[in-house]
Amino acid sequence: DRLVSRPRAVVEVVAKALADRPEAVLVTERPGKGQSVVELQMAPGDLGRVIGRQGRTAAALRTRTALHAIAVAYPSATTRAS
């Protein structure tokens, strides 16, 4: 069984939900300069759905993934005081 990081899992779930061909979605992760790089490959016809108008969907996905990574790395910083 392979280990999947949470940011990678978020990208995969969102991409498959947006794709007409979810079976063609491939998400990989590799180390970058001080951070992990999550790469997404999918059917050419589905790329526009993930990119969105003027890149808004892709930008939102990057933001959501980054926020999730921060929440995992620093859980006490994301909890609200009651």
Side-chain angles (χ1 to χ4, degrees):
D1 203 46
R2 63 185 180 148
L3 291 176
V4 177
S5 72
R6 287 187 178 179
R8 177 180 170 183
V10 169
V11 171
E12 189 168 5
V13 167
V14 172
K16 285 184 176 184
L18 293 172
D20 281 336
R21 295 187 48 214
E23 71 281 357
V25 171
L26 175 64
V27 181
T28 57
E29 187 172 9
R30 63 179 172 79
K33 296 179 180 177
Q35 60 189 356
S36 291
V37 176
V38 177
E39 297 175 328
L40 171 64
Q41 296 176 341
M42 56 194 319
D46 287 335
L47 285 175
R49 292 176 180 268
V50 173
I51 295 170
R53 290 189 177 154
Q54 297 181 355
R56 289 186 185 125
T57 305
L61 182 55
R62 279 192 298 270
T63 300
R64 173 67 181 101
T65 304
L67 289 174
H68 188 78
I70 291 168
V72 169
Y74 304 100
S76 63
T78 59
T79 56
R80 292 184 177 178
S82 298

